[in-house]
Amino acid sequence: MLGRWTLDNVQRWGRETIFLGNILIGIPSIFGRFYLVIYQIFAVGVLTLVIILVSGMFVGMVLGLQGYNTLVDFGAESSLGLVVALSLTRELGPVLTALLFAGRAGSALTAEIGLMKATEQLAAMEMMAVDPISRVVAPRFLAGILSMPLLAALFTAVGVWGGHLVGVVLLGVDAGQYWSAMQNGVDFYEDVLNGFVKSIVFGFVVTWIAVFEGYDATPTSEGVSRATTRTVVNASLAVLALDFVLTSLMFE
Amino acid sequence: MNNLIELNRVWFAFGERPVCEDLSLSVPRGKVSVIMGPSGCGKSTLLNFIGGRLKPQAGEVLVDGVDVSRLNRQGLYKLRKSMGMLFQNSALLTDLSVFDNVAFPVREHTELDERLIRHLTLFKLQMVGLRGARDLKPAQLSGGMARRVALARAIALDPMLVMYDEPFTGLDPISKGVIVKLIREIGDALGMTSLVVTHDVAEGMSIADRVILLGEGRVISHGSAAEMQASRDPKVRQFIDGQPDGPVAYHYPAKNYLADLAGGDAA
């Protein structure tokens, strides 16, 4: 039982790694036809915008509320802007965006590629001498990696604005203090750039898992459904685990 | 070389189950060859050998004198540009329109300008009678129409060989008639070699220049349609006349019926 499980998983990681290698080989060929990537950025990134913006807004508002309630006891509500901005740029922006991205865009990628496999569209491409990895998978992979940091940045920006809405407009923290605390306390390299690196890594991992699960899916309706579930579960776990590793490396 | 395709002593098994045992056959150039046989006798596997999607465990598969199973990826992709394949479920790209589906292989493999691509695509669509349906999406097509679009796509690059995997299955009589006519016309007008895999005896016989009857991983018989109709071989007769029992047994191999009933699975 345990041996079989181990073997299956080791094989799976092997396939996953080889698959990544094939994608990377296929990527140069799509620079000549970048419109394929643009279209996928629309499908993967732009269509994910609404959920990212709405979630970012609410997360920022909650941060504003909770931060204010905690800080006001110490008379430190002037630091609210700093608390909101740091939580978002360092952690919540990249992590929550990645989780939402896995649920919205990752599941869609897996289902799409899995169904293309189940309906023999990938096999048909192979028979037309078109490599499905460079024609179908590589543009989606690249689009995912390019979209994630942009989405995370928007999530953070909207979140800061949501914190402002609750903290300043509703609860009466001084607007000047809110913004200046943020400006003084948030470091570009230490906070913003590290958050940016995180979001790129998460985008890479989530999209990789999503396209692999689709391509590796058992070509039946049940197989595609299981692959989609696996994408969301595995990608979310990978994001949370990687976040711990990255945080411990970046913010010693 | 009169034969476009030759299989020599091909062996293949899925796990324990043998599909081909010492299979040899040849497909003449420029003719319509029909491979018939009951379901599960390795007909589709055969197309996968020729297209290089499966490799036989022994033996050689020659297409135009080249052993497909020994080609590397580049060689295989080069060979596939001169092959068209019609899948049983059509396998159209669902996010592209009918026009874009037929233009797809041309756009992928050539640098032709858009006006020429338009001419080529409309010509192929006209051949299958669907020039008027060019703006539809695959989801809006009936099964028969989808298969005609897939056929237009398969011949988009004017291949030397077109393979048809069960082209008549699941179609109404009119659509079947259309496909029969198209396979014949494409073979004659464009001079392509056609290889049809089917278990529909009437349609298969009506278009075949040459019939190859497969069973249990071997060639049972081959010849022209007329020769097959006149054959007295009981294996050929059973398939052509559709008799439920005969040399191909009705029962899946099992132990003695009475012993089975008396014993039960629990015992």
Side-chain angles (χ1 to χ4, degrees):
Chain A
M1 238 341 239
L2 192 67
R4 159 137 226 125
W5 184 88
T6 312
L7 280 180
D8 282 352
N9 274 287
V10 170
Q11 276 185 2
R12 190 179 186 75
W13 293 329
R15 283 204 305 276
E16 202 152 353
T17 311
I18 293 171
F19 183 70
L20 178 64
N22 286 334
I23 297 178
L24 296 179
I25 293 171
I27 280 185
S29 73
I30 53 172
F31 283 115
R33 299 189 298 173
F34 210 69
Y35 64 92
L36 290 175
V37 183
I38 304 280
Y39 180 77
Q40 290 306 325
I41 289 179
F42 176 76
V44 168
V46 177
L47 295 182
T48 315
L49 261 181
V50 175
I51 188 176
I52 294 292
L53 295 182
V54 173
S55 310
M57 182 78 193
F58 279 113
V59 169
M61 284 162 67
V62 169
L63 279 175
L65 204 57
Q66 291 282 16
Y68 180 83
N69 285 339
T70 314
L71 292 171
V72 80
D73 292 342
F74 306 100
E77 70 269 23
S78 57
S79 308
L80 182 64
L82 182 62
V83 171
V84 171
L86 278 187
S87 330
L88 281 167
T89 48
R90 285 183 172 188
E91 291 296 336
L92 295 177
V95 173
L96 289 182
T97 305
L99 294 179
L100 292 167
F101 184 75
R104 167 62 182 78
S107 59
L109 281 176
T110 305
E112 187 186 16
I113 296 176
L115 274 173
M116 289 179 91
K117 185 180 182 186
T119 52
E120 290 191 303
Q121 294 182 48
L122 299 182
M125 279 191 196
E126 275 180 25
M127 284 307 298
M128 289 187 273
V130 175
D131 179 13
I133 292 188
S134 56
R135 180 61 172 72
V136 173
V137 177
R140 286 167 171 77
F141 182 69
L142 208 58
I145 296 177
L146 292 176
S147 302
M148 237 314 278
L150 298 176
L151 291 171
L154 284 169
F155 185 98
T156 305
V158 174
V160 166
W161 191 67
H164 176 271
L165 191 71
V166 168
V168 177
V169 179
L170 251 55
L171 299 171
V173 175
D174 182 65
Q177 283 179 338
Y178 184 85
W179 294 114
S180 65
M182 200 182 300
Q183 207 172 3
N184 292 330
V186 179
D187 183 72
F188 179 72
Y189 293 101
E190 178 78 357
D191 303 314
V192 177
L193 214 57
N194 277 339
F196 184 69
V197 170
K198 272 188 182 180
S199 63
I200 291 178
V201 173
F202 295 160
F204 181 92
V205 171
V206 171
T207 320
W208 176 23
I209 292 178
V211 291
F212 171 76
E213 290 295 350
Y215 200 79
D216 198 56
T218 315
T220 60
S221 27
E222 197 202 359
V224 175
S225 120
R226 290 172 68 123
T228 312
T229 309
R230 261 205 307 271
T231 291
V232 177
V233 173
N234 291 357
S236 305
L237 290 178
V239 164
L240 294 173
L242 270 174
D243 183 48
F244 174 74
V245 175
L246 288 174
T247 303
S248 58
L249 288 175
M250 288 170 170
F251 309 99
E252 293 160 56
Chain B
M1 279 196 316
N2 277 329
N3 291 331
L4 183 66
I5 300 169
E6 280 185 38
L7 268 68
N8 291 324
R9 316 207 56 177
V10 168
W11 292 75
F12 186 78
F14 278 119
E16 296 285 291
R17 191 171 69 86
V19 180
C20 298
E21 296 177 90
D22 205 14
L23 177 69
S24 299
L25 60 82
S26 56
V27 173
R29 201 180 282 269
K31 298 266 169 60
V32 177
S33 299
V34 178
I35 296 183
M36 291 201 277
S39 302
C41 74
K43 300 191 299 289
S44 299
T45 312
L46 207 71
L47 294 187
N48 283 332
F49 290 153
I50 296 166
R53 294 178 62 217
L54 281 177
K55 283 186 201 297
Q57 279 135 4
E60 49 178 17
V61 180
L62 299 175
V63 176
D64 207 19
V66 183
D67 189 350
V68 179
S69 55
R70 269 177 241 278
L71 284 176
N72 62 9
R73 216 178 122 79
Q74 267 179 333
L76 191 59
Y77 271 41
K78 191 159 160 266
L79 181 66
R80 280 180 183 167
K81 285 184 202 172
S82 55
M83 290 180 182
M85 174 142 175
L86 181 70
F87 284 78
Q88 191 179 340
N89 64 10
S90 302
L92 294 175
L93 306 177
T94 42
D95 55 341
L96 299 181
S97 68
V98 164
F99 182 92
D100 290 333
N101 259 289
V102 178
F104 182 82
V106 186
R107 286 187 176 139
E108 289 292 317
H109 293 306
T110 68
E111 302 278 319
L112 299 178
D113 73 45
E114 211 40 46
R115 241 189 40 234
L116 198 49
I117 290 179
R118 195 180 121 85
H119 276 297
L120 288 173
T121 308
L122 291 183
F123 170 65
K124 295 287 150 69
L125 279 172
Q126 173 73 11
M127 268 197 92
V128 299
L130 291 176
R131 192 164 44 85
R134 74 186 97 158
D135 294 324
L136 298 182
K137 286 280 183 162
Q140 296 167 288
L141 302 175
S142 70
M145 283 164 83
R147 215 164 285 181
R148 279 148 73 186
V149 174
L151 182 51
R153 185 180 67 176
I155 58 171
L157 288 171
D158 292 319
M160 60 180 179
L161 167 71
V162 191
M163 294 185 279
Y164 303 86
D165 190 3
E166 302 284 4
F168 313 114
T169 305
L171 294 184
D172 64 86
I174 300 173
S175 303
K176 263 190 202 179
V178 170
I179 299 287
V180 164
K181 171 175 168 287
L182 282 174
I183 295 177
R184 200 59 255 185
E185 270 179 7
I186 285 165
D188 293 342
L190 304 179
M192 296 170 185
T193 305
S194 310
L195 181 58
V196 183
V197 155
T198 182
H199 50 235
D200 289 294
V201 175
E203 285 79 12
M205 288 289 192
S206 70
I207 49 169
D209 292 320
R210 183 184 160 84
V211 177
I212 300 166
L213 191 57
L214 285 190
E216 293 159 347
R218 289 198 193 86
V219 175
I220 294 176
S221 179
H222 60 87
S224 69
E227 283 166 15
M228 299 303 268
Q229 290 288 13
S231 170
R232 288 175 188 281
D233 184 338
K235 287 179 183 166
V236 177
R237 287 258 61 94
Q238 187 193 358
F239 185 74
I240 289 178
D241 300 337
Q243 297 154 356
D245 208 352
V248 178
Y250 169 71
H251 288 285
Y252 194 83
K255 57 184 171 177
N256 183 283
Y257 186 35
L258 275 179
D260 211 357
L261 285 178
D265 273 337

